Amino acid sequence: MSEKIKIGVIGCGRIAHAAHFPPYSENPNVEIAYCCDIIEEKAKIAAEKYGGKAITDYKIILADPEIKAVSICTPNYCHASISIEALKSGKHVLCEKPAARTLEEAMDMQKAQQETGNILSIGVVNRFNTAVNKIKELVEAGELGNIHHVYMSFRAYRSIPGIGGDFTNKAVSGGGVLIDWGVHYLDLVMYVCGDPNPRTVSSETFSVLGKNIKDYVYTNMWAEDTAKFDGVNDVEESVTGLIRTDGPVITFNGAWAQNIGESDSFIDFMGDKGGIRLQYCGNFVHYSTKNGMLSKTEYSYPERNAYSNEIDAFVDAAMGKECDKRASINVNIHTQKIMEAIYKSAQLHKEVEL
Amino acid sequence: MSEKIKIGVIGCGRIAHAAHFPPYSENPNVEIAYCCDIIEEKAKIAAEKYGGKAITDYKIILADPEIKAVSICTPNYCHASISIEALKSGKHVLCEKPAARTLEEAMDMQKAQQETGNILSIGVVNRFNTAVNKIKELVEAGELGNIHHVYMSFRAYRSIPGIGGDFTNKAVSGGGVLIDWGVHYLDLVMYVCGDPNPRTVSSETFSVLGKNIKDYVYTNMWAEDTAKFDGVNDVEESVTGLIRTDGPVITFNGAWAQNIGESDSFIDFMGDKGGIRLQYCGNFVHYSTKNGMLSKTEYSYPERNAYSNEIDAFVDAAMGKECDKRASINVNIHTQKIMEAIYKSAQLHKEVEL
Amino acid sequence: MSEKIKIGVIGCGRIAHAAHFPPYSENPNVEIAYCCDIIEEKAKIAAEKYGGKAITDYKIILADPEIKAVSICTPNYCHASISIEALKSGKHVLCEKPAARTLEEAMDMQKAQQETGNILSIGVVNRFNTAVNKIKELVEAGELGNIHHVYMSFRAYRSIPGIGGDFTNKAVSGGGVLIDWGVHYLDLVMYVCGDPNPRTVSSETFSVLGKNIKDYVYTNMWAEDTAKFDGVNDVEESVTGLIRTDGPVITFNGAWAQNIGESDSFIDFMGDKGGIRLQYCGNFVHYSTKNGMLSKTEYSYPERNAYSNEIDAFVDAAMGKECDKRASINVNIHTQKIMEAIYKSAQLHKEVEL
Amino acid sequence: MSEKIKIGVIGCGRIAHAAHFPPYSENPNVEIAYCCDIIEEKAKIAAEKYGGKAITDYKIILADPEIKAVSICTPNYCHASISIEALKSGKHVLCEKPAARTLEEAMDMQKAQQETGNILSIGVVNRFNTAVNKIKELVEAGELGNIHHVYMSFRAYRSIPGIGGDFTNKAVSGGGVLIDWGVHYLDLVMYVCGDPNPRTVSSETFSVLGKNIKDYVYTNMWAEDTAKFDGVNDVEESVTGLIRTDGPVITFNGAWAQNIGESDSFIDFMGDKGGIRLQYCGNFVHYSTKNGMLSKTEYSYPERNAYSNEIDAFVDAAMGKECDKRASINVNIHTQKIMEAIYKSAQLHKEVEL
């Protein structure tokens, strides 16, 4: 019988508890050996619940030869540096999304992966979502024909996460709604459409509702309890744009905050033969034609938690079993390139070519 | 008591019956003197219902010195030529939208208007819609603050009008869904936002569902009973793009036909202080904040048929009473410029500057 | 150019106005020459609206050599006798459903058809309904696999048609809800399932709510304004049963009147590969599986009035053009056999074999 | 003060936890002395939660003279044998439904009850449901008049419980949806209608969707996590039929699995004076007439958990207090006879007489 592998989790905040600890603890091949957070209290809470030692310095994990793999759940600004250090210490790495703040950082990560040969997966969890994979199957089976246009809508009313905190501080997060929510939508579209090369990007970003932190009116901060009035908000709260690729044209509207009280979070895949509207993190509807009729189809299917699928695939790969490449750093380079171009186009107020 | 003015209607098809004849016949200052259509039967049906002589040659109207004003309800391809001829014959002109197939034609019309001094109004009927004018009032009162972003969605399932007929023949219509539906949305946004200058346009147009006319599956053709299998379809059935202006950025998605079975027809005006979602041809919702609360407001107001408002304003102007400039050819030049740029960008697959 | 054929309509009541006169008058190849009803007033009303001579004796029509075809829209008791007489007079016949009160009568009609070679179509209008034909196509394409079970529900609250009148008088109508509504459901199922041979029938019929006409409480009589207190009600108001055939097993519940305030009118076709629920006279939903998912599909399709399809097919056949056999008396024999067996089983309180 | 009686629970699976343990533990007169399951782990989990000794051999309970009564919650195949053994050991018995796999087994149980004089109640829990008892009261008060027809619908989409496991193995369970769900519906109808004698049964059973276990597509197995691909499925997944009794005619459709995505679970009681539609395990609506009006009445009433009522009645009887006969083995003989006839008729493809 195979031995358990030991893993360490670096960063014990919201995403670690939502996405990493539960699946690790349910995986029979895993022993959680370290819970690390620079805030000791957070490390202790995690260790009490999921086992392992509570520590505040991640270098202890990297130095421990028994550790095979780490999850990196820190704020975005140290994704690249810790990932690279971990790879070089001989660990396999699952790093939360976005891979990095910038394309340059992401490419450094890719290089470290290539040099070390260790696994570097990114938390592009939608690639492990059942509905998304079913859509990919339908697309690959030709059910949509050629997809010429995709529209991504990730718009919320007034939901800036913890204004004044890490999320709205560009030095920490690398950006706002695009890097926080948009990266998921973009990655999902890239995955379903076969990772087409981007060609042009024209976009604009906005920061108006939360420009003056204390004037921002809200009912919910989700990531934090309240606004941090003395904090920094220098990231975009909404974004819009048009992307041309080798495959479909992608139009998008995204907003952490807008003065429209509707939450639209869906992706429309529009092909010449059929189309699909996916409710993000939900179900999808398939429109097509049959025997001269228009058809509208809803599907049911057994679903499994996407985080469990993601962690299990990472663990299998780390154990040298099946190596599932769908979350590899390589597939993130495209997304990172596009995001970089979106920010650049918004700054120049004109289209950029890739 | 003022005498009635005599008018002639050129083109007795769907739009004449929907938008011109009823308001003229209800206006106490108007006598419908001529109903003209190249199909005699159509002219007769109109004359029987609304009075006047049924004729097939519009030159008879232009030659009649008793006629003060004409409505032009022909297919798009003769908007410019008949309008110019009518202006030069000393008539006031109300020409249906779009003003013309191209910017060049529209500018010729503007020139003829300027040279003759006669009135040239375009059928931009949304400028006479009550809800739209209420929104304009709220915007001008500062209720939305600065509008930084507008999203226009004019998307239908599978509704190409009379595929193979006039609507889908570029030589006749000048274009597809953009020139048919988009022009109304664009003009409405321009009106509400104070006719800002356009700066850049990046867009793509598509013709895939109806590419082979006989493969197009539909339940409704609205403009015609059935497809014309031996006809021409060389116009776009869907369009998407991003427009930068001196005022707001405008993102849009439009489709006569798409494989998504949802009909989205709304405009979102997003300001830093408030926002409005207008259901096209319907009501609107106003989102804002008050005393630290988020607010969502719906309004009721007495409504009057927009076509009646439009015709009455034209008649008043033609009689020398109040001259309402909101439908003047001048305001159409912007829209026409933008549409030209949209088609050009789609052709080049890159952004164009204006 | 082909000459118009002259037709006569015998019986100018509800069904003639709903189903026969409008399509005849819209068919460019038809001239309505006679409107016949034993109530002169009814004949006159029809003739005024649709043309032709108003007469009270149908023998005038049968004697007129210019008449090619007749519609028989009388009460059920004279369907057989008039149809047979008309066929023998050299006319093509479209007789309203049910073909006859009894199997024996229906077989006499079939015999007359075979001897004369003239057309005898029955008003099984569902065979001309678009949704029904689309279902038949899907079934024939194998989308449902083998259909093992069909459930027909034709149940209404308290809707006995004109209690005490023709509908509830067995000598006139031949029966109650089974012969009035059930015949349509049965025929539709036979049509979709390829007219399988019936094997056994077990059933029960009930007459309890309307047993004493003056105790029957209702809100609507539809066929007549009020109850006829001195009339006869000796037919079933509800029915239930189980039919085994060479194809599917058919279970059914039907009620003109029941003490359950729900109107269920649907048919479930249950196959091993897929299933369809058809809302009678409405749309349908298709349940199946795909790529390990359960699927639920709704279709849209252009629809044409089923009565128009039925009349046009009859006219084409009478003119010697395409002869569409789907409403032939032959396909009615099965249904008539089953109905006869249902009444017999209900009387014997045990299953009958066919 | 009365002493507590000691009871033992044989079989610690799903139904024991849902229906037996909680009410026993809430009944002040009961001490749970044994939790028995052939899987030791299951016995332990129950004992930890509800007290008593965890054992794997039920004979220990039967041999313990302090035990007054037992609940039998095993798979169906040992209902009869253990019940008989328990009765003969001097215990009162509450055996889960269905009483047995066959009529013969049920009659052996009845015989053992009669010979020993001990109580033998069956888990026909609907007889303790508040709504059902309220309906029975209304029926007995004559509010529905004579009930001539009952329709039972117990149909689900794709819900075979643990395909390949105990539920679908006839040797273990005795049958499929009829014996699992149908027995409850039949028993409920028998109870409300005064246990009328059955006369004829005509029915068909089907096993098509789950015929090949690995081709069965589903989203939920409820009873088990997944299909057991190497298991047995030799029971019916759907059933339909017509039952004649001394009282009402009963028509029914039942399905664990069907290709219709609707879950219908209701019973219609149709009388000449009124009718009731009961949503199984839910509320009911009463249709009738009053002063020439149609009436539709919904009732509210205090409800008590049916399992608690059932267990308390059994405990009271076992303690020699009130002896409630409504769940006695005697009332199950009818249901068991009918189920036997349903399976026989389905096998012979013709009606059977009783």
Side-chain angles (χ1 to χ4, degrees), chain D residues 28-46:
Chain D
N29 299 318
V30 169
E31 181 191 330
I32 298 172
Y34 292 101
C35 297
C36 173
D37 201 290
I38 50 171
I39 299 168
E40 196 175 1
E41 184 62 19
K42 287 194 177 183
K44 280 186 176 166
I45 287 169

Side-chain angles (χ1 to χ4, degrees), chain B residues 83-157:
Chain B
S83 290
I84 292 166
E85 205 177 335
L87 288 165
K88 292 189 173 167
S89 308
K91 313 303 182 199
H92 299 300
V93 175
L94 171 56
C95 176
E96 257 310 318
K97 63 90 218 176
R101 286 172 299 182
T102 61
L103 176 59
E104 198 186 351
E105 282 186 352
M107 291 183 78
D108 289 345
M109 291 165 79
Q110 188 183 34
K111 196 171 151 234
Q113 189 279 320
Q114 284 162 352
E115 287 171 4
T116 62
N118 290 324
I119 294 159
L120 174 55
S121 293
I122 306 301
V124 285
V125 69
N126 291 287
R127 292 181 180 235
F128 298 93
N129 174 290
T130 312
V132 171
N133 281 286
K134 289 295 176 189
I135 292 174
K136 192 170 169 62
E137 285 175 26
L138 291 173
V139 168
E140 288 172 357
E143 293 280 349
L144 268 56
N146 180 54
I147 299 178
H148 56 281
H149 188 203
V150 172
Y151 175 55
M152 320 190 305
S153 181
F154 46 104
R155 302 171 62 186
Y157 190 8

